[in-house]
Amino acid sequence: MLQMIPPKETYLSIRDLWKAFGSFIALKDISLDVKEGEFICFLGPSGCGKTTLLRAIAGLDLQTKGTVTQGGQDVSNLPPSERDFGIVFQSYALFPNLTIEKNIAFGLENAGRSKAEITARVRELLELVGLPDQGRKYPAQLSGGQQQRIALARAIATNPGLLLLDEPLSALDAKVRVHLRHEIKELQRKLGVTTIMVTHDQEEALAMADRIVVMNHGVIEQVGSPTEIYREPANLFVADFIGEMNQIGSSVAKGGRLAVGEKTFACLPHGLADGTPVIAAVRPEDVIPHEAGYLETSGNRNCIDVQLAEMEFLGSFWRCRLTNKRFGGKELIADFSINAVRRLGLEAGCQMEIELPDNRLMAFPVAGGEGAKQ
Amino acid sequence: MTDTAQDMLPSGPAVKGKLSRDDIIMRGSMIIIALYLVVSLVFPLYAMLSKSFSTYRVELSQYEFQVSNEAGRFDGTILTGAELNARTNTFADADLSTGADGRLPVTGFFPDFSFRSPVMYQIRNTTDTGRFLIGSNLQTGTDWVTLDSNTFRRVQLRPVKAQGLDNFVSYFSTPALFNSIKNSLWIAVLSTVVTVSLAFWFAYALNRSCMKYKGVFRLIAMAPILVPSLLPGIALVYLFGNQGMIKELLFGASIYGPIGIVIGSVFFTFPHAFIIISTALAISDARLYEAAASLRSSPWRTFWTVTVPGARYGLISAAFVVFNLVITDFGLPKVIGGQFNVLAVDIYKQVIGQQNFEMGAVVSVVLVIPAILAFAIDRLVQSKQVALLSARSVPYEPQPNKKMDRIFFAYCTLIGIFIAGLLAVCQFAALIKFWPYDLSLSLNNYQFDRMDGGGWGSYVNSIKLALMTAVAGTAVVFFGAYLVEKSKGFRTGRALFQMFAMLPMAIPGMVLGLAYIFFFNNPANPLNAIYGTMAILVVCTVTHFYTVSHLTAVTALKQMDREFESVAASLKQPTMKLFARVTVPVCLPAVLDISIYLFVNAMTTVSAVVFLYSPKTTLASIAVLNMDDAGDIAPAAAMGMMIFYTNALARIIHLLASRGILKKTQAWRSR
Ligand SMILES: Nc1ncnc2c1ncn2[C@@H]1O[C@H](COP(=O)(O)OP(=O)(O)OP(=O)(O)O)[C@@H](O)[C@H]1O
Ligand SMILES: [Mg+2]
């Protein structure tokens, strides 16, 4: 993708970073720039190295190779205590024997602040995270969500330049999670603090991040805004990992079209040579339904006839399983609006046609090797 | 941004982290505590080991002599010491192998010698290593020294130090010595079998039956921990000794010897076996019993297929712990062993009785081998048991069973009578005026100042030692455990530290004490100044009981969130602030446990300190030993019971203090 001129200064810059645990390489040649005030999510499957990268940025587990520059200063080999960050762990790591107030005040002490200043700051923070009257309680007396907010308050108490969050929401139940998501995002916007959050929940990443860093097996697969990542996945891994994606075996035909059986489809540009075996990919919600015979009448060559094998009502739309022997025994999944289903009179077993829009149909090389599109 | 990048780490040096102030403080402190362990453990053991291989032999061939005629003229005939000895047979070969202090007079080589004769003598070393004394002047040169007869009789040959296996050879060629190996092993195995069997059924009754008064039985079972191991010996003397109350029960056999040692060993090792087996039984899984019941397995079969295998690690571990306790114990066989020699007592006899330090070191080395083996196997087994513990299991709920509950109750009562009975006998003995002739009650036996052993001063010293050990030991052990658990990087250093911390448990007290003599009583050692002071007793006791304390601390620390230190660092707060404000308060229960453990053991320990006390630092436990040795058995029993009451009181205070402090500082524990 084209790099736009950054609206803000680069705050954190990671260059050629490697991390090895013995002979196992957990991070391979990572380079990444984070702009001031940005909210970044590290997203990827379990074990891909998200936490490792976060801890390298914090200096908690030093990288084996590479540099980290923060706010213009090379911090590559500095211990955590000489870097500028606040951190929230999955376990929150609240001090169990100290009250909430004392937990938050912990980092404010020995920095030349008076007692009154500290008390005032603690009160301000408690209000900021929406727990103004819980200060005298102990961590064990709060709910998980409340503890999480206290951990956040403690981390931002000293106004760090960088806020690091390692799966801060994963210990909470679904409802609290969605709620806190917005609160954290809101808070981050208000404070303008550069934030990196680790998560393996793509919904969380899509909802919160300015930019998402998709990782797999110790490498960065793609960096981009949520819509970029979703709309223009750089490779099959990203396409498959974020959202749902139909994958149909295919090959590149003349003019860059995609051949599925004897049919060819127009698709987004991919730059692959003719004859390359590829995966044709389209998201379920991008499939457009038409009545049988539409191809004849409209001449739209990106249409194909299918049988509607099964349909399932999911509240705001219908999830339909479509078959055609050209799909190689696979079903194509499509999400149709309630309106469309009613208009076209769709029901299980009926014949219909679908359109795979040429600006939504993507092609990826089979082995997952080289990135498909630039 | 794809993974075409090669998967090989680029060459070149890895990023080297800059150490923070905290890292430096923590590493520095860790090195200091590791050095403490090196000085208080590794160096002394090394000194002992090298002592066991040190041989001292007078090399007669390294000396040459000349004798003048009556007129004082030498005719030039030179004879070596070896030739002279061959001619006169003055010394047998064994006489030439001596200790470090060995001295041989030389006048025996000359049958005509008279200190009044005008005959002159000349003597010299033939090598630079040769040494002999004239009076107290050491002669090392190879020049001839001319002496008149009167001076010549003050010449003494000194041995040459060498390294070799001679001491071991002479150990294994002396049946009186190496028979102890067999004796020790035999006693240890027998005591282990008896204790573990008894403790198993006791623990089984307390965990798996619905009998009454479980709390009382538990309390009684723990009582032996509070007394020195030699106290049951004294009780047994009163019961079965030559004038014993019920000596007929032995049918003529003597309590002095293996019988006494085994009974006493069962007494003092019982609580250790009981705790371990009880823990193993408590964690076994109820679901297995339900499964067995649903398969209509008979209770007996269930016992053998479910209960015993479930507790097997506990049983094995208990067996090795008991074995180790018995084989390294010194107090009990000293009091009741009679002519039956065991290794731990041999060390004492060699060192204190015969001043043969090299042989003491040899016996120590021999004793360390089974002790280390037992220790190693126990660690191995315990690491497996931990894995069992962490598995999710449902605790077993016993069902009432009138008949079985009654049988178990009877059994536990018998054990209870055995333990409480021996203690009661001691107390009784202490209060009787003069057994068996005058049975009136009196406090005469508490007038310790009239007996050997240091009097009431010893008791005060013991309490001082126990308090100092508890305070200093807890501080060092807990801080050391914190550093090794929570500091970052420094892998090798931490692994070494862990090893040093585990080592004391494998070293028998007698061995440690003797090693301290070799190391600290060496005038060349700058630490020589602490020899004979209270300080060396504290150091020795802390080190002796380091391992269990360390493990307690590590277990508590492992339960702390791993990220506390990271949070503190990110907040730019010193780690030591975190340690003081969070770690110590949260681990307070463990800290208190360590301190009471050290206190009780410092009160009861005999084996290590028996070599190290001085007239100013006599201890209560040693006083028990010495008064018993001197025949003052009743006062010995009285002093032993004083230790018991002191420890019991300490435990009660510990309990109350724990509760009080927990209530006050640990409000956060409750929701
Ligand atoms: N201290 C360590 N020693 C050896 N291997 C490690 C260590 N820490 C992490 N790893 C390995 O490095 C890889 C990346 O671990 P990391 O914790 O960064 O994953 P993650 O992306 O955060 O996963 P999750 O979502 O499960 O938290 C994993 O394969 C892990 O096993
Ligand atoms: Mg992680």
Side-chain angles (χ1 to χ4, degrees):
Chain A
M1 68 218 86
L2 253 162
Q3 197 67 43
M4 291 204 285
I5 295 144
K8 289 200 174 165
E9 296 271 318
T10 297
Y11 178 68
L12 182 77
S13 172
I14 298 164
R15 283 285 163 273
D16 311 323
L17 187 135
W18 293 72
K19 173 75 184 181
F21 293 108
S23 64
F24 174 74
I25 298 186
L27 294 175
K28 292 169 201 160
D29 202 17
I30 302 278
S31 293
L32 177 71
D33 285 326
V34 178
K35 283 171 235 110
E36 177 129 37
E38 237 186 338
F39 195 121
I40 294 279
C41 273
F42 291 171
L43 176 65
S46 185
C48 70
K50 309 177 293 283
T51 301
T52 308
L53 181 53
L54 194 80
R55 293 180 73 89
I57 292 170
L60 293 169
D61 283 318
L62 232 46
Q63 71 276 17
T64 316
K65 293 273 155 67
T67 57
V68 179
T69 315
Q70 182 180 355
Q73 189 199 357
D74 182 359
V75 295
S76 304
N77 64 348
L78 293 188
S81 54
E82 291 174 30
R83 301 190 188 197
D84 178 20
F85 70 97
I87 190 163
V88 175
F89 293 100
Q90 191 175 351
S91 64
Y92 316 142
L94 292 174
F95 306 130
N97 63 321
L98 301 183
T99 59
I100 299 308
E101 281 170 350
K102 298 230 170 92
N103 261 284
I104 297 177
F106 197 85
L108 297 169
E109 294 157 5
N110 327 328
R113 292 185 185 81
S114 74
K115 263 223 164 98
E117 276 175 280
I118 293 177
T119 318
R121 175 77 177 137
V122 169
R123 188 166 313 136
E124 184 191 350
L125 284 160
L126 279 171
E127 251 155 51
L128 195 64
V129 296
L131 295 169
D133 359 282
Q134 309 283 356
R136 312 248 151 193
K137 288 190 179 169
Y138 288 99
Q141 294 166 324
L142 299 188
S143 73
Q146 290 173 321
Q147 290 184 31
Q148 209 282 328
R149 286 185 241 191
I150 300 302
L152 195 61
R154 184 178 63 181
I156 58 175
T158 50
N159 287 320
L162 179 63
L163 180 61
L164 304 176
L165 312 167
D166 190 357
E167 311 224 11
L169 303 175
S170 67
L172 303 171
D173 59 49
K175 231 177 172 169
V176 184
R177 230 156 129 159
V178 172
H179 179 67
L180 266 178
R181 225 188 250 175
H182 294 292
E183 284 201 4
I184 293 180
K185 179 73 197 168
E186 210 38 54
L187 193 66
Q188 189 265 343
R189 205 169 284 153
K190 208 175 339 174
L191 300 173
V193 56
T194 313
T195 302
I196 300 178
M197 182 172 107
V198 164
T199 178
H200 60 247
D201 180 343
Q202 44 161 310
E203 234 180 83
E204 213 165 276
L206 292 171
M208 296 173 80
D210 295 328
R211 283 196 301 153
I212 296 175
V213 176
V214 184
M215 297 179 65
N216 188 30
H217 290 315
V219 300
I220 295 181
E221 297 280 0
Q222 187 174 8
V223 182
S225 70
T227 41
E228 275 170 349
I229 298 272
Y230 193 82
R231 281 290 166 219
E232 303 158 34
N235 54 42
L236 199 57
F237 171 79
V238 178
D240 192 40
F241 187 72
I242 312 266
E244 272 187 273
M245 186 67 84
N246 288 298
Q247 298 178 19
I248 305 160
S250 137
S251 62
V252 180
K254 250 206 188 94
R257 292 174 69 87
L258 295 180
V260 178
E262 74 285 355
K263 257 192 91 65
T264 63
F265 294 85
C267 67
L268 286 161
H270 48 70
L272 294 166
D274 287 5
T276 315
V278 289
I279 300 287
V282 66
R283 296 204 184 272
E285 70 271 23
D286 290 336
V287 178
I288 303 173
H290 295 292
E291 71 280 358
Y294 177 78
L295 179 89
E296 293 284 286
T297 54
S298 70
N300 185 333
R301 290 174 62 202
N302 261 30
C303 286
I304 185 168
D305 60 307
V306 291
Q307 184 174 23
L308 205 172
E310 224 178 286
M311 55 197 299
E312 186 186 358
F313 184 54
L314 290 182
S316 46
F317 61 89
W318 286 90
R319 165 144 300 188
C320 301
R321 298 172 184 284
L322 313 170
T323 55
N324 179 314
K325 56 181 181 305
R326 296 194 193 91
F327 299 157
K330 265 196 190 163
E331 288 174 331
L332 192 96
I333 296 179
D335 294 342
F336 296 146
S337 72
I338 301 170
N339 244 334
V341 169
R342 193 181 310 128
R343 184 165 48 81
L344 299 170
L346 300 180
E347 54 185 29
C350 75
Q351 288 291 330
M352 63 178 296
E353 283 186 15
I354 51 166
E355 179 187 346
L356 307 177
D358 55 4
N359 61 347
R360 290 284 184 255
L361 185 61
M362 297 171 267
F364 298 108
V366 172
E370 200 63 33
K373 309 171 296 170
Q374 288 307 311
Chain B
M1 282 186 199
T2 56
D3 64 0
T4 48
Q6 81 279 24
D7 284 2
M8 289 276 293
L9 201 62
S11 56
V15 175
K16 225 171 145 42
K18 186 180 154 227
L19 293 182
S20 69
R21 249 179 60 112
D22 275 333
D23 290 333
I24 294 167
I25 292 173
M26 288 179 78
R27 285 184 192 192
S29 313
M30 200 157 97
I31 290 171
I32 290 172
I33 296 184
L35 277 180
Y36 165 82
L37 284 170
V38 168
V39 168
S40 72
L41 186 69
V42 181
F43 284 174
L45 288 177
Y46 178 77
M48 189 201 74
L49 199 64
S50 76
K51 195 74 169 180
S52 74
F53 290 107
S54 299
T55 56
Y56 293 90
R57 191 173 165 85
V58 181
E59 296 296 343
L60 292 179
S61 57
Q62 292 183 1
Y63 302 98
E64 286 181 349
F65 298 87
Q66 293 187 52
V67 192
S68 76
N69 59 13
E70 304 254 325
R73 289 186 51 125
F74 294 95
D75 63 2
T77 320
I78 296 175
L79 288 166
T80 67
E83 287 160 349
L84 285 165
N85 194 38
R87 202 181 283 172
T88 58
N89 269 331
T90 313
F91 301 113
D93 190 58
D95 299 333
L96 300 177
S97 293
T98 69
D101 293 326
R103 287 170 182 158
L104 292 185
V106 290
T107 50
F109 291 152
F110 306 96
D112 302 333
F113 177 81
S114 155
F115 67 92
R116 289 201 197 114
S117 94
V119 170
M120 303 287 282
Y121 293 86
Q122 284 193 322
I123 176 172
R124 69 162 190 160
N125 298 307
T126 57
T127 68
D128 287 332
T129 54
R131 305 180 319 151
F132 62 92
L133 288 168
I134 304 172
S136 54
N137 295 326
L138 191 65
Q139 306 289 318
T140 50
T142 53
D143 296 331
W144 285 103
V145 184
T146 310
L147 302 166
D148 59 32
S149 292
N150 191 29
T151 317
F152 188 65
R153 77 182 163 147
R154 295 173 58 217
V155 169
Q156 288 183 304
L157 305 183
R158 297 280 284 127
V160 183
K161 184 179 171 186
Q163 302 290 317
L165 289 169
D166 288 8
N167 298 327
F168 287 88
V169 171
S170 90
Y171 178 82
F172 284 103
S173 51
T174 315
L177 287 173
F178 74 72
N179 268 342
S180 300
I181 299 178
K182 198 184 67 198
N183 289 352
S184 275
L185 287 176
W186 190 71
I187 287 296
V189 169
L190 190 62
S191 306
T192 302
V193 171
V194 176
T195 307
V196 171
S197 320
L198 292 178
F200 174 80
W201 288 111
F202 195 86
Y204 189 88
L206 262 59
N207 280 289
R208 297 292 168 80
S209 81
C210 290
M211 65 173 199
K212 284 187 186 162
Y213 305 118
K214 285 185 185 174
V216 178
F217 284 126
R218 198 175 288 273
L219 217 59
I220 294 176
M222 300 309 293
I225 280 190
L226 306 181
V227 300
S229 63
L230 48 82
L231 200 68
I234 292 175
L236 290 174
V237 168
Y238 268 92
L239 288 173
F240 303 107
N242 297 332
Q243 295 169 330
M245 305 174 192
I246 48 173
K247 72 173 187 180
E248 298 75 25
L249 286 182
L250 284 183
F251 300 108
S254 169
I255 193 72
Y256 297 99
I259 300 179
I261 301 179
V262 171
I263 299 178
S265 296
V266 170
F267 174 89
F268 90 86
T269 58
F270 190 86
H272 301 271
F274 165 69
I275 297 172
I276 296 169
I277 298 173
S278 194
T279 311
L281 284 174
I283 60 169
S284 63
D285 197 337
R287 288 172 301 184
L288 291 174
Y289 291 87
E290 279 156 22
S294 69
L295 291 172
R296 295 185 192 287
S297 164
S298 76
W300 190 237
R301 209 182 124 82
T302 308
F303 175 78
W304 281 110
T305 53
V306 180
T307 309
V308 172
R312 71 177 179 281
Y313 290 129
L315 286 169
I316 296 171
S317 178
F320 283 105
V321 166
V322 172
F323 178 89
N324 211 340
L325 284 170
V326 175
I327 204 164
T328 60
D329 183 48
F330 157 72
L332 186 64
K334 176 81 179 59
V335 166
I336 202 150
Q339 302 302 313
F340 190 80
N341 290 331
V342 295
L343 290 171
V345 180
D346 281 351
I347 298 177
Y348 183 77
K349 284 186 184 158
Q350 288 298 326
V351 172
I352 302 293
Q354 310 189 7
Q355 299 281 315
N356 188 342
F357 290 90
E358 287 77 27
M359 196 49 80
V362 170
V363 186
S364 296
V365 172
V366 171
L367 178 59
V368 160
I369 293 166
I372 286 192
L373 273 181
F375 163 79
I377 297 176
D378 175 49
R379 291 309 307 165
L380 205 77
V381 170
Q382 290 217 343
S383 63
K384 297 219 168 115
Q385 166 131 30
V386 171
L388 266 186
L389 243 175
S390 47
R392 212 165 260 182
S393 56
V394 182
Y396 178 83
E397 291 281 346
Q399 300 296 319
N401 176 337
K402 267 216 172 113
K403 186 173 144 227
M404 289 311 284
D405 289 349
R406 227 176 272 152
I407 294 175
F408 280 130
F409 184 79
Y411 172 75
C412 290
T413 307
L414 279 179
I415 299 274
I417 288 176
F418 168 65
I419 292 173
L422 288 188
L423 288 175
V425 167
C426 282
Q427 187 55 73
F428 176 69
L431 292 173
I432 293 293
K433 210 171 227 165
F434 190 39
W435 175 266
Y437 307 106
D438 182 353
L439 297 186
S440 59
L441 296 179
S442 95
L443 289 176
N444 281 349
N445 293 325
Y446 284 85
Q447 301 192 336
F448 299 130
D449 290 334
R450 294 201 195 150
M451 335 268 174
D452 273 355
W456 279 102
S458 317
Y459 177 71
V460 175
N461 281 341
S462 262
I463 290 189
K464 271 193 212 155
L465 170 69
L467 285 175
M468 288 200 278
T469 303
V471 172
T474 307
V476 171
V477 170
F478 189 79
F479 191 47
Y482 177 75
L483 296 172
V484 75
E485 270 301 303
K486 304 288 177 184
S487 60
K488 312 191 67 169
F490 205 38
R491 291 257 175 87
T492 331
R494 281 157 65 191
L496 261 169
F497 189 101
Q498 287 283 18
M499 211 183 71
F500 289 154
M502 295 312 294
L503 194 56
M505 199 171 192
I507 304 302
M510 296 302 284
V511 176
L512 192 65
L514 183 56
Y516 271 41
I517 299 185
F518 294 141
F519 183 64
F520 288 102
N521 193 22
N522 176 354
N525 184 341
L527 294 169
N528 181 240
I530 75 165
Y531 193 76
T533 65
M534 191 58 113
I536 196 172
L537 296 181
V538 175
V539 168
C540 177
T541 312
V542 168
T543 305
H544 189 181
F545 299 105
Y546 199 98
T547 306
V548 172
S549 316
H550 177 74
L551 290 175
T552 309
V554 166
T555 308
L557 288 167
K558 278 205 194 298
Q559 284 162 7
M560 303 276 289
D561 194 309
R562 294 208 336 270
E563 308 297 1
F564 283 165
E565 280 70 24
S566 309
V567 169
S570 80
L571 295 173
K572 316 231 174 326
Q573 300 299 318
T575 310
M576 286 308 121
K577 174 181 162 190
L578 178 76
F579 179 72
R581 289 269 310 273
V582 178
T583 313
V584 171
V586 172
C587 291
L588 208 56
V591 169
L592 290 171
D593 285 350
I594 294 171
S595 58
I596 188 71
Y597 168 82
L598 288 173
F599 183 94
V600 166
N601 276 296
M603 284 300 293
T604 59
T605 189
V606 175
S607 54
V609 291
V610 74
F611 290 133
L612 302 175
Y613 71 92
S614 71
K616 270 192 225 136
T617 57
T618 53
L619 298 173
S621 52
I622 306 285
V624 178
L625 187 80
N626 287 341
M627 288 193 283
D628 176 82
D629 221 21
D632 295 328
I633 305 184
M639 185 64 101
M641 289 311 284
M642 285 306 296
I643 296 177
F644 172 71
Y645 294 126
T646 309
N647 276 338
L649 185 69
R651 280 219 95 122
I652 292 170
I653 292 173
H654 165 252
L655 199 74
L656 294 178
S658 303
R659 282 215 187 127
I661 293 172
L662 287 190
K663 216 184 229 163
K664 223 162 121 195
T665 64
Q666 314 232 341
W668 51 272
R669 277 197 200 274
S670 59
R671 286 203 58 146

